[in-house]
C-alpha cells in the first residue's frame, strides 16, 4: 500500500510539540518518516513566523534541508491559495521556484480558482502532478482539465467532520472518477476526527492514503501522537492486519 507522510501542514507547536516547523526540523522529520515506512513526504514550507508559504526562497530552503538530511526522500508540497495572496501570486511563485531545489511533486486543489493553469505550470516546471478534489462539486473542473491524464494520483479530501460521511464521500467520489474513465491512483485522507476512519477505509478499499500531523494530532485511541513516525508505523500495522482483505477501487 502506498503511504504518504503529510508531516506538518499548518499545524504549530500549540497543536503538538512534535510538529516540524523549521526547514531543519522538516528535513529531519522527513528522513524519520521514510525510515518508519512512508513512501513519500508532503511538507509545507514555513515563514520565519511559522506561517505557510510557497514563496521561492522558503520552498528552496525546505527542499534543500530535506535533501541534506536524506537525499533519497521524494518530497512534495502544496500550491494552495491559502499560502499566498491569490492565484496570480501563486503562479509567480511557482514559476520562480529554483530549478536546483524543486520539489519532486506538487498538489493542486481543483476547488480553487486557476487550478487548471497551476497544474499545467507544475508539469511545465518538471514536477510530478497530483490533483485534489474536496467534494463531488470539484469533479467537473478536474475532469475537464487538460492535465487530467498526467496526474500521478487524485487526492480525495472530504471536508465533512462526520467520519461516516467522510468515508461515504471518499467512496462516492472514487466511484465517479472511475466511472469517468480516470485511471490514476486514488488517495483518501481525512482531517482530525475523520483521519483515522478514512485511513481504515483506504486500506479496506485498496487505495492509497496518507497520515501525519497535517491531518491529525492523535493516535486512533485518542492519545497524543508522539510524532509522524509513530502514526506511519500505525498505518503500516493496520494495513498488514488487513492484508488480502480489501477490494481495489
Amino acid at each position: 500500500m502506498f503511504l504518504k507522510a503529510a508531516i506538518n501542514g499548518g499545524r504549530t507547536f500549540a497543536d503538538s510539540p512534535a510538529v516540524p516547523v523549521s526547514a531543519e526540523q522538516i528535513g529531519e522529520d522527513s528522513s524519520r518518516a521514510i525510515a518508519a515506512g512512508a513512501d513519500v513526504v508532503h511538507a509545507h514550507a514555513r515563514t520565519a513566523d511559522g506561517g505557510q508559504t510557497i514563496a521561492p526562497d522558503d520552498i528552496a530552503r525546505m527542499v534543500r534541508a530535506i535533501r541534506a538530511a536524506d537525499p533519497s526522500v521524494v518530497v512534495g508540497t502544496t500550491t494552495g491559495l491559502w499560502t499566498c495572496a491569490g492565484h496570480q501570486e501563486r503562479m509567480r511563485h511557482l514559476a520562480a521556484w529554483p530549478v536546483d531545489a524543486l520539489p519532486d511533486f506538487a498538489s493542486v486543489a481543483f476547488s480553487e480558482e486557476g487550478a487548471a493553469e497551476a497544474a499545467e505550470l507544475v508539469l511545465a516546471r518538471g514536477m510530478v502532478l497530483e490533483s485534489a478534489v474536496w467534494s463531488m462539486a470539484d469533479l467537473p473542473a478536474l475532469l475537464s482539465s487538460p492535465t487530467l491524464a498526467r496526474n500521478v494520483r487524485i487526492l480525495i479530501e472530504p471536508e465533512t467532520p462526520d467520519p461516516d460521511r467522510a468515508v461515504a464521500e471518499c467512496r462516492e467520489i472514487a466511484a465517479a472518477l472511475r466511472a469517468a474513465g480516470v485511471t490514476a491512483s486514488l488517495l483518501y485522507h481525512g482531517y482530525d476526527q475523520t483521519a483515522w476512519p478514512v485511513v481504515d477505509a483506504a486500506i479496506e478499499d485498496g487505495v492509497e492514503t496518507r497520515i501525519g500531523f497535517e491531518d491529525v494530532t492523535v493516535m486512533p485511541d485518542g492519545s497524543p501522537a508522539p510524532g509522524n513516525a509513530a502514526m506511519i508505523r500505525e498505518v503500516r500495522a493496520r494495513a498488514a492486519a488487513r492484508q488480502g482483505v480489501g477490494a481495489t477501487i
Side-chain angles (χ1 to χ4, degrees):
M1 182 194 71
F2 179 94
L3 177 59
K4 178 192 294 185
I7 64 173
N8 60 353
R11 305 283 190 180
T12 69
F13 294 146
D15 298 299
S16 168
V19 172
V21 177
S22 72
E24 292 73 22
Q25 290 167 346
I26 293 168
E28 293 165 2
D29 208 64
S30 295
S31 182
R32 286 192 291 267
I34 296 299
D39 293 292
V40 301
V41 169
H42 172 85
H44 291 199
R46 300 301 191 89
T47 59
D49 64 1
Q52 298 174 79
T53 176
I54 57 170
D57 288 349
D58 296 308
I59 290 291
R61 188 177 302 109
M62 178 186 76
V63 170
R64 288 172 180 146
I66 291 170
R67 291 181 178 150
D70 186 345
S72 71
V73 173
V74 176
V75 58
T77 195
T78 185
T79 64
L81 289 181
W82 64 87
T83 64
C84 57
H87 175 60
Q88 294 309 313
E89 184 176 72
R90 165 168 65 182
M91 295 297 285
R92 290 193 296 273
H93 284 336
L94 288 176
W97 287 359
V99 172
D100 65 344
L102 280 176
D104 297 292
F105 64 94
S107 307
V108 177
F110 270 75
S111 58
E112 294 182 341
E113 174 197 356
E117 186 180 16
E120 289 185 286
L121 183 53
V122 165
L123 291 167
R125 292 296 324 273
M127 291 173 280
V128 172
L129 171 67
E130 53 180 27
S131 295
V133 290
W134 296 356
S135 71
M136 288 289 287
D138 300 336
L139 265 60
L142 174 67
L143 295 175
S144 64
S145 66
T147 58
L148 176 63
R150 300 179 66 188
N151 281 284
V152 68
R153 67 185 56 87
I154 306 299
L155 314 179
I156 301 175
E157 308 176 341
E159 292 191 282
T160 175
D162 178 78
D164 291 338
R165 184 61 197 153
V167 169
E169 287 184 10
C170 284
R171 290 171 169 161
E172 180 184 22
I173 293 169
L177 289 169
R178 291 297 187 234
V182 173
T183 59
S185 296
L186 305 180
L187 183 152
Y188 299 170
H189 78 88
Y191 185 77
D192 282 346
Q193 61 264 47
T194 71
W196 288 107
V198 166
V199 164
D200 287 339
I203 294 169
E204 182 178 347
D205 292 355
V207 300
E208 300 179 359
T209 193
R210 76 178 207 184
I211 200 66
F213 280 125
E214 178 172 356
D215 295 342
V216 68
T217 61
V218 298
M219 301 299 286
D221 65 2
S223 62
N228 283 300
M231 289 188 274
I232 292 160
R233 287 191 292 267
E234 176 66 21
V235 175
R236 286 296 183 202
R238 295 166 94 83
R242 290 194 60 90
Q243 189 171 10
V245 175
T248 300
I249 288 181

